[in-house]
Amino acid sequence: MLSNVRNLSKSNAQFQRAVKRLPLGVSSTFRYWGDDRTIYVESGKGGRIRDIDGNSYVDYRLGYGPAILGYADDRVDAAARKGMEVGGVFALSTTRELDVADRMAKMVPSIDLVRFSNSGTEAVMAALRLARAHTGREGYVLVEGSYHGLFDAAMWMTDLADWDPKSGRDPDTVPYSRGIPAGLKSLVHLTPMNDPQRLEDLFKANGDTIAAMLIEPIQGNTCAISAKAEFVHLARDLCDRHGALLIIDEVKTGFRVAKGGVQSLIGVRPDISTFAKAMANGYPIAAVAGREEVMRTFRYGGAAHGGTYTAHAVSLAAADKCLEILDETPALETLAAYGERLKAGIKAILDRRGIVHSFSGHSSMFGLFFADQPPDNYRDWKLSDYTFYDKMALHLHDLGVIVEPDSREPWFMCEAHDQSCFDDTLKAIEAAVDFTLEDMAGEKRA
Ligand SMILES: Cc1ncc(COP(=O)(O)O)c(C=O)c1O
């Protein structure tokens, strides 16, 4: 049963028009939620968005994380407007690049040098190329369940759909899209999160061909599954012993879970880090940053890096202001405290109904599970029951709360989530949980 309190007639009509010109009616496949449930946004402000039918939602997707201060933040937008006066892009440098790089280096101790990119994908692609150029090797390690963007080398995953956990064999490594050259497969090594023995074995067998290990210590696209600190320290140690580089992908965690990123919470120093989302509150900018000796491989005759739009004056001005706020105000504490309160509120609702659940990740980006422990790695997620979540998410949309319909995407907090967002969210969750329980009971009876 759907709670069905929303009118989507304008979004539905827009979809019918859009699909004639835009594949699936959208500009990113993940924005398509079905012919009659794909919504088109009119505007966003603070912790809320409004669709073209006039429905208002408290938003915990936040564009997959960027709106760290909230949509249309007046302080960042004013800075971006000033950035427009600079004149766009020149295929030349401006002085603000150094200001932003200095701020990043102040906030994240592993950063000596910085290069800007436009998106997370571009930054991670550059980081991997840099590692290969620096080491002269081509192989690389990815952790199962990670997501590093839409470029061919990163688009390999463990095939859980066709895997029988009782078979005693590992899942296959498959590309997660058609169009990925099969020849790349020989370069990628996928390893389960939090399995030290497997990681040691992998390096023992392949260490001399591995350029880098890429890891998201909180998996931003897989339930916020989190690496144990010992696992990341082991990765650091194995990279050192085998002459490989450690790349920490902080595209989602950077300037969100702490000023110094997830690496500062774990106390590990990667050779290279990548940042994007929270850097500029939604303006397109990203960065690859790290240890001086490695970063200086970006040079003529070394690793190529650049691009027409890198360090665009508007995004750079937004990053300058956004990072200043994140560095000099308690914004991150505020949004993490909201996340803590929200988790406590959800827990109370679920406990009252005797529904077993747990949370993963960090208060600023957390996953919700209907099991007593969150999964420790991607294979465990396959074994968990996510039907309750999948149903509840659709009810939440109808009731004015946006979360990702796929249970693998965490909920993101922003500084602008306020008491009214909080109250509306808990009211909606309580109703959505009851609707979901009715659905499940109905299915059992049928
Ligand atoms: C950890 C991580 N790396 C890379 C990317 C790719 O970033 P973008 O979508 O900006 O290309 C993402 C996107 O969600 C991400 O979560």
Side-chain angles (χ1 to χ4, degrees):
M1 190 184 90
L2 277 181
S3 24
N4 227 356
V5 289
R6 252 187 327 168
N7 174 10
L8 289 180
S9 53
K10 288 189 180 155
S11 272
N12 290 345
Q14 178 65 24
F15 173 77
Q16 292 304 333
R17 285 193 295 275
V19 79
K20 297 194 176 85
R21 185 71 70 199
L22 305 165
L24 290 176
V26 292
S27 295
S28 163
T29 301
F30 312 111
R31 297 177 196 170
Y32 170 75
W33 290 355
D35 291 12
D36 56 354
R37 294 184 71 85
T38 295
I39 59 173
Y40 292 85
V41 174
E42 186 184 82
S43 62
K45 183 71 188 163
R48 296 181 190 256
I49 57 171
R50 195 179 175 77
D51 70 19
I52 58 174
D53 284 287
N55 299 304
S56 167
Y57 307 87
V58 183
D59 188 4
Y60 295 102
R61 283 171 85 245
L62 297 176
Y64 294 139
I68 185 100
L69 302 171
Y71 292 110
D73 181 85
D74 292 336
R75 302 158 292 180
V76 177
D77 286 356
R81 270 184 216 103
K82 290 290 282 177
M84 272 177 215
E85 292 167 16
V86 177
V89 283
F90 312 99
L92 291 169
S93 296
T94 62
T95 56
R96 190 168 269 140
E97 291 160 36
L98 177 57
D99 299 339
V100 177
D102 279 346
R103 173 77 66 178
M104 292 174 66
K106 171 175 177 264
M107 294 172 81
V108 186
S110 71
I111 296 180
D112 295 331
L113 274 73
V114 177
R115 271 290 175 96
F116 294 103
S117 293
N118 301 296
S119 68
T121 296
E122 252 187 64
V124 184
M125 197 161 56
L128 188 55
R129 184 184 309 123
L130 177 66
R132 286 169 161 163
H134 191 75
T135 60
R137 302 170 179 179
E138 294 191 349
Y140 52 101
V141 179
L142 302 178
V143 178
E144 292 180 359
S146 26
Y147 176 76
H148 298 291
L150 293 176
F151 67 105
D152 292 350
M155 292 175 69
W156 292 89
M157 63 174 199
T158 34
D159 182 13
L160 294 190
D162 291 328
W163 177 60
D164 173 7
K166 295 191 207 89
S167 66
R169 61 165 184 83
D170 281 334
D172 290 338
T173 296
V174 293
Y176 60 74
S177 159
R178 290 173 68 176
I180 310 293
L184 289 177
K185 184 173 172 175
S186 62
L187 300 177
V188 58
H189 303 278
L190 275 158
T191 196
M193 182 76 103
N194 293 323
D195 190 334
Q197 192 58 55
R198 295 289 296 264
L199 191 62
E200 294 218 29
D201 293 348
L202 196 165
F203 269 93
K204 207 179 280 168
N206 305 283
D208 57 345
T209 59
I210 291 172
M213 173 162 175
L214 248 160
I215 183 167
E216 282 173 274
I218 299 176
Q219 295 191 313
N221 304 266
T222 309
C223 324
I225 288 173
S226 301
K228 296 196 168 80
E230 312 87 82
F231 185 72
V232 186
H233 286 291
L234 175 66
R236 172 70 279 175
D237 183 45
L238 288 167
C239 284
D240 287 345
R241 276 195 268 146
H242 292 272
L245 301 184
L246 180 66
I247 305 174
I248 296 198
D249 183 351
E250 298 249 24
V251 162
K252 274 190 169 160
T253 49
F255 309 115
R256 166 171 284 282
V257 300
K259 285 181 194 177
V262 66
Q263 56 191 267
S264 71
L265 300 180
I266 293 173
V268 72
R269 212 179 163 94
D271 300 290
I272 308 172
S273 307
T274 50
F275 301 90
K277 316 261 185 188
M279 274 180 77
N281 207 46
Y283 288 88
I285 191 164
V288 45
R291 183 153 70 79
E292 171 158 11
E293 186 210 348
V294 175
M295 289 293 293
R296 296 247 181 247
T297 303
F298 281 136
R299 61 168 190 271
Y300 291 113
H305 176 269
T308 305
Y309 297 107
T310 48
H312 190 286
V314 174
S315 296
L316 209 54
D320 203 6
K321 179 50 80 177
C322 184
L323 291 176
E324 176 195 308
I325 294 167
L326 297 177
D327 190 22
E328 295 181 12
T329 76
L332 291 183
E333 285 91 331
T334 303
L335 64 97
Y338 181 95
E340 268 311 299
R341 278 207 306 137
L342 186 59
K343 282 196 288 185
I346 297 171
K347 180 174 176 352
I349 290 170
L350 296 173
D351 282 349
R352 277 201 295 277
R353 288 158 179 79
I355 299 172
V356 174
H357 66 283
S358 51
F359 295 98
S360 60
H362 185 266
S363 310
S364 64
M365 52 179 282
F366 63 79
L368 166 61
F369 294 94
F370 293 95
D372 62 355
Q373 289 290 328
D376 208 22
N377 63 53
Y378 191 37
R379 296 183 193 195
D380 285 353
W381 172 80
K382 165 79 173 170
L383 298 173
S384 72
D385 183 358
Y386 35 92
T387 46
F388 194 95
Y389 182 95
D390 292 351
K391 287 181 193 299
M392 188 187 81
L394 297 186
H395 286 303
L396 283 174
H397 295 179
D398 287 335
L399 293 161
V401 173
I402 290 283
V403 297
E404 183 70 15
D406 183 328
S407 68
R408 282 171 287 189
E409 184 73 16
W411 295 25
F412 291 95
M413 308 301 125
C414 69
E415 190 197 22
H417 279 136
D418 58 12
Q419 189 60 41
S420 79
C421 294
F422 185 81
D423 295 340
D424 290 352
T425 304
L426 286 193
K427 219 160 87 195
I429 289 175
E430 185 133 36
V433 166
D434 286 338
F435 278 125
T436 307
L437 287 170
E438 279 174 40
D439 291 343
M440 309 278 275
E443 277 169 21
K444 233 186 208 160
R445 280 195 301 272

